């Protein structure tokens, strides 16, 4: 048994403790999950709700949200700095009926979970059936993640990277139906010296030729008259630093392609980090297989200017079936590109 200690909740107040749920009793409610002894005390606690969303194409949809009302697909992007240890309290608000309808393996319990890539956690935070770290309907569970910092003297490379988190329980013991339904999101671990973007967008490629669990035109809700920024409305002003985090779900291979922009095939994607042009490949297309995630930062419209820049899977059959959206780069004053949008010849799958 790994030695653990109770987390010390510093400055968290009564609110987050109360939000642990009615199932927690007295002093237990005020104590966090067991934290491995090699981890620092958690400095933050995040609430995460798994919630049913409207069906899409007669398929059940479930999303994670910081609140039940804000649940979305992908779920909220969780950001950490190297050196941080955080708690995530997962609340399962998905009905047993829905979980039963999605279940294809009768041995799998009716629940949801939270499984992370990249960060450190122990078995109690693995989010799997065999480790009994899942959450039944109406219940909550606290997961602990640690972003171990780099330490060159000790040969520790650190945790910084573009990772993701997802369910590992819904449908089968691998969360196959949970992933298909929408239980996933991006996890970014930053090094303290990393540049911060003006905005981060997440694209998740999934089976059924879906991008963020949708097919074009549902992948792109952009309105030039009201250019809100969201994962279905990828908007930037020319010159802004924009970050993309890209995830592959399911069982299909994809290639992730963005028009009008290039990035370095390294941890950050930042071209300025490339010490010399021959040391790291500069790319505009990247193969991404199930379970993979990568990210990068670009300067919107750098050299290429404003425009409705296509973003799609470059597997031709996938893009033809709707694995497409657009990166809408306005001018430096925030004015949308001239002309009609969507264009008159835009077909359903472009
Ligand atoms: Cu694809």
């Amino acid at each position: 048994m790994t030695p653990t200690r109770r987390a010390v909740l510093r400055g968290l107040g009564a609110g987050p403790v109360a939000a642990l749920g009615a199932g927690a009793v007295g002093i237990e409610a005020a104590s966090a999950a067991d934290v491995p002894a090699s981890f620092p005390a958690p400095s933050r606690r995040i609430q995460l709700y798994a919630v049913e969303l409207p069906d899409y194409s007669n398929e059940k949809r479930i999303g994670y949200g910081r609140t039940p009302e804000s649940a979305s697909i992908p779920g909220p992007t969780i950001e950490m700095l190297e050196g941080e240890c955080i708690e995530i309290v997962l609340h399962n608000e998905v009905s047993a009926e829905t979980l039963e309808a999605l279940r294809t393996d009768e041995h799998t319990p009716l629940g949801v979970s939270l499984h992370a890539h990249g960060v450190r956690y122990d078995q109690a935070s693995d989010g799997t059936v065999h480790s009994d770290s899942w959450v039944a309907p109406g219940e909550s569970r606290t997961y602990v993640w640690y972003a171990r910092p780099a330490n060159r003297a000790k040969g520790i490379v650190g945790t910084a990277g573009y990772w993701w988190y997802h369910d590992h329980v819904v449908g089968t013991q691998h969360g196959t139906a949970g992933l298909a339904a929408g239980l996933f999101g991006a996890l970014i671990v930053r090094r303290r010296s990393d540049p911060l973007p003006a905005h981060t967008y997440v694209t998740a490629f999934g089976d059924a030729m879906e991008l963020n669990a949708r097919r074009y035109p549902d992948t792109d809700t952009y309105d030039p008259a009201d250019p809100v920024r969201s994962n279905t409305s990828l908007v930037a002003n020319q010159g802004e630093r924009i970050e993309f985090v890209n995830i592959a779900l399911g069982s299909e291979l994809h290639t992730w392609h963005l028009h009008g922009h290039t990035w370095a095939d390294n941890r950050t994607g930042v071209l300025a980090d490339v010490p010399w042009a021959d040391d790291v490949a500069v790319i505009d297309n990247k193969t991404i297989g199930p379970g993979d995630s990568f990210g990068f930062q670009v300067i919107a419209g750098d050299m290429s200017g404003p425009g409705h820049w296509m973003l799609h899977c470059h597997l031709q059959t996938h893009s033809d079936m709707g694995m497409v959206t657009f990166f809408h780069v306005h001018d430096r004053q925030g004015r949308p590109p001239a002309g009609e949008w969507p264009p008159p010849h835009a077909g359903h799958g472009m």
Side-chain angles (χ1 to χ4, degrees), residues 32-66:
D34 286 330
V35 177
S38 57
F39 290 9
S43 58
R44 286 190 287 145
R45 178 184 283 172
I46 292 172
Q47 307 295 325
L48 199 64
Y49 295 79
V51 178
E52 292 181 49
L53 296 170
D55 290 3
Y56 178 80
S57 295
N58 294 318
E59 298 280 342
K60 289 229 174 290
R61 289 295 188 235
I62 307 173
Y64 292 112
R66 293 288 187 100

Side-chain angles (χ1 to χ4, degrees), residues 244-266:
F244 288 90
V245 187
N246 314 301
I247 302 163
L249 318 162
S251 307
E252 298 275 351
L253 200 72
H254 307 283
T255 71
W256 196 103
H257 178 51
L258 173 63
H259 290 209
H261 297 77
T262 57
W263 65 91
D265 194 14
N266 61 6

Side-chain angles (χ1 to χ4, degrees), residues 17 31 95 106 118 122 140 142 178 184 195 199 215 222 303 319 330 344:
V17 173
S31 301
S95 70
E106 63 180 18
D122 72 0
S140 304
T142 300
F184 55 81
H199 201 89
R215 272 172 242 110
Y222 167 76
M303 302 298 288
S319 42
H330 292 191

Side-chain angles (χ1 to χ4, degrees), residues 205 209 253-255 313 315 318 323:
F205 285 179
M209 313 320 157
L253 200 72
H254 307 283
T255 71
C313 179
L315 254 152
H318 292 191
M323 219 167 196

Side-chain angles (χ1 to χ4, degrees), residues 60 62 102-104 167 170-172 174-183:
K60 289 229 174 290
I62 307 173
L102 289 169
R103 181 162 66 174
T104 52
D167 168 73
V170 177
T172 74
H174 308 282
T176 302
L179 286 170
L183 284 174

Side-chain angles (χ1 to χ4, degrees), residues 329-342:
V329 179
H330 292 191
D331 70 11
R332 294 180 189 278
Q333 287 71 44
R335 293 173 300 217
E340 198 180 335
W341 186 265

